[in-house]
Each structure stands twice: as C-alpha cells, then as structure tokens.
Amino acid sequence: MTIDSRSAVSAGVADRGSAAFEGRAVGESWGRVAARSKVRGELQHAADEALRPCLDVVVTRSTRPHAEILGVDAARAKAVDGVVDVVTGADLHALLGDAIFTGPAFADQPCLAVGKVRYVGEPVAAVIARGRAAARAGAEEVAVDYRELDPVHDVDAAVRGAPFVHDELRPSVVFGDLAHLRGIRDTNVNYEYVLRHGDPVEPPPGSVTVSDEFWCPPTHHVPIELPFTAAWRDGDRLEILSTTQTPSYVRQSVADLLGLPLASVRVRTAPLGGSFGAKMYDRLEPLAAALAWTRRTAVRIAVSREEAFLLTTRHGAAVTGSMTADADGNIVAADADVRYDTGAYADVGPRITAKSGMVASGPYRIAQAHVRSRCVYTNKPSAGPFRGFGVPQVTWSHESLVDELARARGEDPAAFRRRNLLREGDVSVVGTPMHSADFVGCLDAVTAALDWESPLERPTGRYRRGRGVAVGIKAVLTPTISNAVLQLNQDGSATLLISTVDMGQGSDTIMAQIAAEPLCLPEGAVRVVAADTDVTPYDTITAGSRSTYHSGNAVRRAAEAMRDKLIEIAAARFGVAATDVKITGDGLVSTQTQQKASIPELLHAHFGARGTTLTTEADFRTTWQPYDKRTGRSPQVTEHWFAGAAAAQLTVDTATGRVHVEHLAIAGDVGRAINPALVEQQLTGAAIMGVGHALFDQLVFDEGQIVNGTLLDYQLPSIHDVPDRITPIVVENPHRTGPYGAKGVGETTIIPLAPAIANAVRDAIGIRFTRLPLTSERILDALAAQEEPS
Amino acid sequence: MSTEITLLVNGERRAVPVDDDDLLLDVLRGLGHTSVREGCGVGACGACTVLADGHSVSSCLARAVRYDGAALTTADGLPADDDVVEEFVAARAMQCGYCIPGFVLMTHELLAENPDAGEAEIDAHLEGNICRCGTYLEIRTACVNAARRRREAAHTEKESA
Ligand code: FES
Ligand code: FES
C-alpha cells in the first residue's frame, strides 16, 4: 500500500534551471502553510473565531416539494423562551423587494420562500433567538399552511412539460448573454447550449456505432467543516464572516441585496475545512445579511449536517449518447443529449450546462459532433458547482462509449483512444485549439503504470480481474479576473494580499512560492492574508482550478514588479545601471562592482526607518470570445484546457458484487508543478473522492425528499476504500502564459475516475454499466441477469 | 437543570456549569478548544473526537455531565513535541486539516493500546474517521511512523534502564 514515488513526465520545461531562474521556490515541495497548526487543530476556522455576541438563527423548512404558502403562524414560536423574532420571506420581501431573489446566473432564489415553496427543506421562516437550542425549538413551532401543487421530480418529466417549477425565468441582470431568457414561461428548461460541428453524413461503410443512455446521480460534497455565516451591522456598514470560496462575489451579491455601496459591505473569510464547490455563491450569506441589516442585530447561522445536505448538491445528469468510428478506427461522429437536474433553483447550473456541454464528446478529434445540453428545474434541492463543474457527468458517457466502441472494433481501448486523442495545436470540436493539454502523455503514463501491455492474470473463479482506462478534458473558467497586492517588509518578509481562499487545495502555499520565486525569498517568508474584501483585492472566485493560473499570474506580476523596484533602488545605491544588478538569496548584487546589500539593509537605508513596507500590485485577466449562439463554437472559448487520465486494475467479487481496486494510476497535465507534493495530494485526493462516486457515493431521493441526508446514511470513502496502490503522475507541458508554466489541478483526476473503474469492471465481468454508482447490489443484479438464459 | 462539573482538560482543572443535555463538544468548544469540531453530529465522522481517560469519545454524542471528573485530551492540548503530531507533519498528513485532530487522537489511543499496530490494525482503528480531502495514505504513513517511533523510544528506554 504505497504512493509510488513521483514519476514526472516532463516535456522539458524550457526555462527550468536556466539562467532566467534565480529563485528556489517554484518546483520545490515546500511544506504546507500552517501544517502544524492544522494537525493540532489550532488553525481558526470561521466558526472558531470569537465574535461579538450574536443571536442564533435556525430556519423552519418546507415539508412540501411544491406548494403555495397560505400563511405562516409564528405565535407559538415567538412564545418559546429565548426566541427574539420570527421573520418570513414575505416580511423580507416587503422590506427589500425582489432584491431578495439572488443567484449567480438566475436571480431566482429567495433567502426565505416567498409565496411558494419548491423543494422539501426550503427555508420558509427564520427564527432568531438567544442560543441555538432556543432557535431550534422555535423553528419547530412555526406552523405553515400550504396548498399543495403538483411537483416534478424527474428530470426528463420536467423537460416534457408541466408542472412548472417557476412561472417564468428570471435571469440575473448581470449577464447579457442570458437576457433573452427573461420572462419566458411554461418551461422547466432554464438554459440550453447547442454545439454543432461538421455536417451530419451517412456513416461510411464498415463503420461502427455505439449508443446508450447514461445516468449520474446527484451527490453531495460533504466538506467536513459545516457551512457557517455570521453578520452584523457596524454603523452603516455590514460585516460578514463566512465559509465561502467566493468573497468578492458575496460582497457584490449582498451589496445588491441591501442596496449598499461595495465599500459598505465587508466579507471576511477564514481557511475552509474543505469545500469542493459547496461553499460558494449565495449560501447562508443573503439570509444572514438581510436579517442583520433589517433587524439591526448580529446574527450567526451554524447549520447541522442534515441542513448542509439541503444547501446545494451535485447535479444529477442524464446523457443520451452515441459515437461512430469508421473502418480505419477514426471517430467520425459523436452525439450527446445532456439533461442536468438543477433542482428548484438554477444556481450556476446554466454555466455548468454550457461548459460541460462543450466537452460532452470528449477530448477527441471528431469530424462531426452534435451536443444538446439542457439545464432543468425540478422540485428538489438546488444543485450547484461541484469539483469538476458538471464535466464528470458527461465524461461518464463519452468514456463509456469510447470504450465500447473500441471493444466493438475488437481493439485495445487504450490504443483506440491514443489514435483519436487531440494533440497540441489540434482544434477541438468547440473550435478552440489545444495547448499544454497532453492527453496522450496522461494516457501513456497511467497505462504504463499499470503495465498495460503485459497480459493480465485473469482468474475464472469467484474473483474476476479487469483493467480499465479513461481520459478527461475540461476548460478553465474564462473570462475571469485576479488581483494581487504584495508588501515587502523591511526585514525581508512579505505579506501577500489576494482573495483566493485556501480550502485545503494549498493555495496559500502555492501563492507564497510564486511570490518568493522572483525575489529569491526562502520558505516561510511570505505570509498570505486570508481573503477580506476590506483588505484583499477583487478575485472572481476560488473555483474551477483557476487560482494557480489566474491568481498565480497576478502574484507573479506583483512579485516581478517588486524585484524591479528593488533593483532600481539598489542600482541607485551602488551607482550602477539597473541592468547590472541581480537579485540573489543573499540580496541585491552588482555584477560589475561586487557591491552587495541584503533586502533589510537596502530598505532600511531607502526609507531611513525599520518596519517599513514596499508595495506593488498587479492584475491578471483572461478574455474569451463568446460562443456562437447557433453552433456553440468559438476560437477562444477558454484560456486553457485541463487534461487528465485514470487507469484502474481491480477485482470483482462475483459472490458479493464488491469491487476491490488493486491499483489506480492517475495523471494530470498541470503545465508545471509549483509544488509537486501538493499537486500529488490534489491528484490523489480527487481520485479517492472519485472512487466513492464510482462505487457508492450518491444522494438518494424519494418523491423529491433526500432519504440519506445524514452521515449515518450517506456513504463516503473511508480508509478501507483506498485502493491497494495509488500512482499519481504529474505530467508537465508548460503553458505559454501560465506562471512558470503552471495551471491548476484540483479537478483533473476526478473527471475520468468513475468511467476508468466502470471500464475495468466491464473488462472483468463483461458487463457495461450505464448508471452510477456501481454498488454491489447493482453488480449482483447485473451478474444475475447475465446468467439468465436469454 | 444546570450543574457544575469539573473537567480536567489537558491537565488543567476547569469548573463549568452545564445543563443536563449539553454536549461535551459544545462545552469544550466553549472553553476555547476549537480543535474539537462538529462534522456530522451523529458519531459518523470523528471530527469531534476527544480522549477521555485515554479512550476516544465522539463528543458530539456525549453528555458533558457524564464526564464530571474525567481527564480529557484535545489535540490542541497535546505537548509541543508530541510524537504523533510530529509524524503527521512529517508525512504531510493534512490538506484542509479539518479532520486531522480527530485522526491524531485516534492514533494516540491506538498506540497506547498497541504500539506494534501494523497497517491492518491502523485501518481498523481509523475506519470511523472521515477525511473528505482523501489524505488517508499520508495519515496511514504518519501512523505507521509514529508506531515505529514509539517502539524505538521504548527500546532506548529499556537499553538505558
Ligand atoms: S461530529 Fe461527532 S462524529 Fe462527526
Ligand atoms: S484534510 Fe480535509 S477533511 Fe481531512
């Protein structure tokens, strides 16, 4: 049971080790920032902070999937000892108007239901009390009178027509590209993305087509730290402390909600205890803000695990797909019809629908591709972003289809993929070229790790062994913006101000390394300040594996500007040209006169004081060309691509239906690993999460109600579910504009994971599974069906 | 009903008034031991683990009144040179770190009972703790190394005795 030593497949980093690099930070596995205080539990998370006295808020939740609210009776709740106030959606709507409907793509979600409830568990009234126990007791006593409406729970039923979850679509005013959807009625489809590449042609003679229906169930993120938000008024300002990946977004959202200038809203974060997409956009913040502001009080919302399950989920998705290869084994056509179940509120579902739709035919050279991807309302808890941003759901279909297609042709699935994979410079079906996305390198690395070419020992008894592989592609979120402010302290330490949130992915460590590199600062010299919108500059979001590239570039620019400033100051002091001054680990040096000054000396002399700071700042923005409405194509739909692959060797116990993963190899092209050890932890951690998605992790619904929404019922990977052996492989093809060539990595290996395992199961027992997860019951049922004489 | 109980938390005597149904989790957090965390509230994740007289307890399920007089250990109260902490740091056994204090205390409990624990015993002992970041391999390595360190320390002690 080992992690193999790192086998870096480096494509030759052009500038690695060359004279251009004097630093010693990038490419080194510096220890994770705050490692010891994390192990000892001393790191303060949001809910650990000592705050001013706050009233506790607990919400009363809907018991109906779809109903009109006829009345809310709070009399008994208000009589509960300790209850201060009970607030309904109607109360807030009267005060704040339609501003209480928020959301990142559609402004459709009220922080408390107004007029109607749309899922079991939707907040209907907020009970404000002294202490959580009193608030809970009060919330139990709120009586809601409903008139039931017909609900719709199934995504395909919702596509077909009534009942409708919303009377009309309410796209957010922020996005011009959604404006045409405003006011559309009588539909549950809130967004549709269509990709048309090439003209449909008759399949040539000798070609093979495979097709199937696929299903990925909804799942939950379950970061171990529960969501928490506190909010209070500070005069005419509102302050928020929250578990969020998106402080800049929350500031804007709350400012819009309350009609305040951005400067009057402060959103502060603390390191997150995991998130994976669960803690972003509008979660607890709008309600906390609305209550604190309108009630002129300090409130705290600390939710239980059961409530956290209701805040957001991962989209369940149905895919009807087909793929055709010609007689030479080239993929000539692919088709995918994707339906994302976004639940009662759109959240970021429309974005997921488009971004995942554009890669629904996989990382292949395909002459003709057609994708229709729809985002669909149902009466269930809202689905939002989850590590992979909808791409694992479509990868489940294309990597199952590609595998079947290879098998139908009698070809090795890895060899078939290798022939068809996109190469550097190839233009994908969406119209954007490939760069720094080495699919072939990733595929080769994971298959080599499994010794793919050598014959597999295949026992014929109870245990059957198989091998499978899958490849994944994802586009980075584009366009986005990052900013960085760097303060070099006179003593040679540095303070970095960015709004990237460290949630376990290691951004504080990575950004410190990038800042240290041009300045030749040692490990531990750069302190990264936790995002605080009063202090740290705008950053779009910490999500979608975008931070290493975007924030990293802003940080690199700020650090290079700082280096240039230091060189200027030193050149003036030495009386030499700036081109003659170099920065080293010991400080600034004149190559001509050999004069030297350490950073502390230089800044002390420059300012004539100790404790001073030198400041630089930089921004980094990416741009895109919006895709064509009709074809869904664009020559620059994304700034860059993520490439990953997974290969699994496993056994299936035909008596119990249990899958045992013997060896899992995972690879991601990260451009360049800023910190190889942290990259490996991301690759491995995402893979272990993916093993859960492949084998058991799922949210189970009955009539729209979650039936396994506690950790007694919801199964997560434990130490027993870790494969016997995991081989993480860092593939490096430097990105031409990445900071030191780097790109992100957090989602790369979760994308191909489930199909790699299912393909290995197919290899072991000859059964193709189209529905996740591959539970032992499902496998046993399929084995029994296989036995039945046809 | 509020009663005053005495807890010996990391060697320090603390008198606290508690209600009958106050959870040990909340009482300890109220005393500032925020390394004790609620991840599930139902005894299924291990984030709230503390040691009571050396035995692991899910403090989210434990009534504080039952621990009157007990010696409690929380991860933040471990000695500065704690061997298990050292091995977790060395093995890079943390990502977000939220779950890790629970694993550290479980490791302490295991090694106190069985310093010869191998991987199978380690896995069996840690199976109730969830690390959603998927740091299990590093955690296992830290645990194996801490066991080795314990055995070596015991050996050196014997030699010098
Ligand atoms: S919070 Fe106690 S076991 Fe999860
Ligand atoms: S390190 Fe994040 S949950 Fe374990």
Side-chain angles (χ1 to χ4, degrees), chain A residues 272-594:
Chain A
L272 296 183
S275 186
F276 318 111
K279 299 166 182 166
M280 53 192 285
Y281 302 128
D282 303 294
R283 292 289 170 257
L284 304 172
E285 297 87 354
L287 179 60
L291 295 176
W293 189 254
T294 60
R295 270 24 192 193
R296 299 185 154 271
T297 186
V299 298
R300 170 176 56 204
I301 312 180
V303 299
S304 66
R305 177 59 65 192
E306 289 71 27
E307 292 181 285
F309 272 105
L310 298 165
L311 289 176
T312 183
T313 65
R314 175 169 100 161
H315 289 82
V319 186
T320 309
S322 74
M323 228 178 237
T324 303
D326 66 12
D328 299 327
N330 299 310
I331 303 176
V332 289
D335 213 284
D337 183 324
V338 192
R339 287 90 66 199
Y340 284 100
D341 182 348
T342 205
Y345 298 102
D347 197 273
V348 78
R351 298 298 185 210
I352 287 174
T353 301
K355 290 212 79 80
S356 301
M358 62 182 67
V359 294
S361 49
Y364 302 104
R365 300 165 158 168
I366 307 176
Q368 190 263 316
H370 179 234
V371 176
R372 182 182 196 196
S373 180
R374 283 172 286 181
C375 187
V376 186
Y377 284 129
T378 58
N379 291 110
K380 295 212 282 294
S382 171
F386 187 119
R387 196 177 209 172
F389 210 64
V391 177
Q393 290 93 316
V394 292
T395 309
W396 171 237
S397 79
H398 69 67
E399 284 311 281
S400 299
L401 286 171
V402 167
D403 218 68
E404 268 325 295
L405 196 50
R407 288 172 183 281
R409 288 178 37 77
E411 206 183 341
D412 172 63
F416 178 68
R417 282 181 175 84
R418 194 171 290 115
R419 177 181 329 109
N420 285 284
L421 281 170
L422 291 163
R423 264 67 171 182
E424 176 83 14
D426 279 354
V427 176
S428 73
V429 293
V430 73
T432 303
M434 291 293 136
H435 167 58
S436 174
D438 188 2
F439 300 102
V440 175
C442 290
L443 175 69
D444 288 349
V446 295
T447 49
L450 255 63
D451 216 356
W452 190 268
E453 301 304 329
S454 69
L456 187 65
E457 195 202 317
R458 294 177 184 273
T460 52
R462 171 173 165 181
Y463 295 93
R464 308 289 173 80
R465 183 172 284 118
R467 262 189 319 221
V469 69
V471 185
I473 177 172
K474 180 177 180 285
V476 75
L477 189 62
T478 311
T480 69
I481 305 165
S482 287
N483 288 272
V485 176
L486 182 62
Q487 296 176 344
L488 183 62
N489 302 306
Q490 178 265 325
D491 65 354
S493 66
T495 308
L496 178 61
L497 308 178
I498 49 173
S499 288
T500 299
V501 178
D502 199 322
M503 43 201 182
Q505 85 281 37
S507 56
D508 283 358
T509 313
I510 299 296
M511 297 306 156
Q513 288 183 245
I514 293 175
E517 179 78 20
L519 298 167
C520 302
L521 297 178
E523 184 171 353
V526 183
R527 155 87 183 156
V528 182
V529 174
D532 173 349
T533 59
D534 262 11
V535 178
T536 56
Y538 179 87
D539 182 75
T540 305
I541 49 176
T542 304
S545 313
R546 66 172 285 281
S547 300
T548 297
Y549 183 87
H550 292 84
S551 301
N553 262 319
V555 170
R556 181 187 183 170
R557 286 179 178 182
E560 287 178 347
M562 183 67 75
R563 178 196 58 201
D564 295 347
K565 264 192 174 182
L566 287 175
I567 287 176
E568 243 174 66
I569 295 170
R573 172 178 166 139
F574 301 154
V576 300
T579 48
D580 179 51
V581 179
K582 293 277 166 292
I583 189 161
T584 72
D586 300 323
L588 287 296
V589 184
S590 161
T591 47
Q592 189 192 327
T593 67
Q594 308 304 317

Side-chain angles (χ1 to χ4, degrees), chain A residues 224, chain B residues 94-100 130-133 135:
Chain A
I224 303 301
Chain B
M94 83 300 288
Q95 292 186 55
C96 77
Y98 204 77
C99 68
I100 299 297
I130 299 295
C131 174
R132 190 53 166 155
C133 296
T135 322

Side-chain angles (χ1 to χ4, degrees), chain A residues 1-3 29-32 34-45 47-48 132 220-226 272-274 276 303-306 386-387 503-505 675 677-678 681-682 684-686 688-689 693 697 710-712 714 716-720 722-724 726, chain B residues 26 29 32-45 47 74-82 84-86 88-89 91-104 119-120 122-141:
Chain A
M1 307 206 185
T2 46
I3 299 194
S29 290
W30 281 9
R32 187 182 289 273
R36 186 172 301 269
S37 64
K38 284 184 173 183
V39 172
R40 297 178 58 88
E42 291 167 342
L43 188 72
Q44 294 272 292
H45 297 277
D48 301 338
R132 208 170 159 194
H220 201 272
H221 318 60
V222 199
I224 303 301
E225 180 201 28
L226 289 163
L272 296 183
F276 318 111
V303 299
S304 66
R305 177 59 65 192
E306 289 71 27
F386 187 119
R387 196 177 209 172
M503 43 201 182
Q505 85 281 37
N675 181 320
L678 291 194
Q681 281 193 312
Q682 282 284 294
T684 307
I688 290 172
M689 187 178 270
H693 288 155
D697 184 337
T710 81
L711 289 201
L712 289 174
Y714 193 95
L716 296 168
S718 81
I719 199 163
H720 287 307
V722 176
D724 293 347
I726 298 185
Chain B
D26 297 322
R29 287 184 61 84
H33 300 287
T34 51
S35 64
V36 188
R37 292 154 177 171
E38 178 182 339
C40 69
V42 293
C45 77
T74 64
D76 56 285
L78 292 169
D81 61 348
D82 184 74
V84 174
V85 169
E86 291 304 319
F88 269 70
V89 173
R92 310 180 76 112
M94 83 300 288
Q95 292 186 55
C96 77
Y98 204 77
C99 68
I100 299 297
F103 280 97
V104 167
E119 283 190 11
I122 289 170
D123 284 11
H125 199 74
L126 301 181
E127 70 182 356
N129 288 57
I130 299 295
C131 174
R132 190 53 166 155
C133 296
T135 322
Y136 294 118
L137 291 162
E138 296 89 329
I139 290 169
R140 188 193 279 142
T141 301

